[in-house]
Amino acid sequence: MKLLCSFVLVAASVFVTNCFAEESVDAKSLDFGDYSSSTLTTKGWDAYNAKKYKVAVAYAKECIDRYGKEAVAMQNELDAPVPSSDKDAVQSKWALNDVGTCYFIMGQAFEKLEQTDEAIKVYKKLLKDVPFAQCWDPQGWFWKPADAAKKQVKILEFQKLEDE
């Protein structure tokens, strides 16, 4: 199982690296702050909300690269999502939540960049590897990036069929 997880993470890293290679953002010029998963996730959201989609991808990629292995380990410890009513328990799965959120941010950014195939791949990676991730909404509740990703995959795949 460890070998399979390692392979999956290497494949994900190669995929994300290849996607990032197409971007014109110089990651060395970005401020990654303290490199914590929460900082990288926040910076990814901030860049996305500022319509700096390539920068959002860079922050999300950094979080996934640094914390993806721990996120998958946390996912594998669970048989079901942590109840969203237990805020402390949800927050204890910090890597799972931040990596899942970063996959979602990346998918959203790829959509805005009109890179539909990349968005679908990232959403499917989220659904496969970290489906129990949860994200805190500033309005006061947790939501599940996997639920939103499922909807986006259906929409994007349908649009691709219509375009053919």
Side-chain angles (χ1 to χ4, degrees):
M1 183 66 179
K2 283 185 179 182
L3 182 58
L4 177 61
C5 287
S6 295
F7 173 76
V8 168
L9 287 171
V10 169
S13 179
V14 168
F15 165 72
V16 171
T17 299
N18 287 342
C19 290
F20 184 71
E22 296 173 8
E23 302 296 319
S24 60
V25 171
D26 178 14
K28 293 176 186 173
S29 68
L30 296 177
D31 174 14
F32 291 107
D34 63 2
Y35 288 90
S36 70
S37 64
S38 61
T39 296
L40 295 169
T41 304
T42 299
K43 286 180 174 278
W45 271 130
D46 290 347
Y48 178 82
N49 289 330
K51 299 182 185 327
K52 296 179 180 179
Y53 303 120
K54 294 176 184 180
V55 174
V57 169
Y59 284 124
K61 178 192 177 307
E62 186 68 27
C63 183
I64 293 164
D65 287 349
R66 286 181 175 270
Y67 302 104
K69 187 175 183 178
E70 184 138 10
V72 170
M74 288 181 179
Q75 172 68 41
N76 290 339
E77 293 170 355
L78 300 172
D79 294 323
V82 176
S84 59
S85 59
D86 188 346
K87 189 174 181 179
D88 290 337
V90 173
Q91 290 175 335
S92 74
K93 301 299 181 189
W94 57 272
L96 171 63
N97 297 329
D98 290 339
V99 167
T101 300
C102 281
Y103 275 122
F104 185 76
I105 292 167
M106 188 179 284
Q108 291 283 279
F110 280 138
E111 282 191 63
K112 294 293 187 182
L113 293 166
E114 298 182 4
Q115 296 178 5
T116 303
D117 290 337
E118 290 81 1
I120 291 170
K121 288 176 189 173
V122 169
Y123 290 139
K124 286 183 175 181
K125 189 80 176 136
L126 162 60
L127 294 168
K128 180 180 176 288
D129 290 353
V130 289
F132 295 162
Q134 298 184 57
C135 181
W136 180 253
D137 186 294
Q139 296 181 21
W141 62 81
F142 286 103
W143 59 278
K144 294 177 177 68
D147 291 346
K150 277 183 206 173
K151 290 176 187 171
Q152 289 310 110
V153 168
K154 286 180 183 177
I155 290 167
L156 295 174
E157 287 182 338
F158 183 76
Q159 286 174 346
K160 283 181 66 173
L161 287 174
E162 282 188 331
D163 291 343
E164 291 178 354

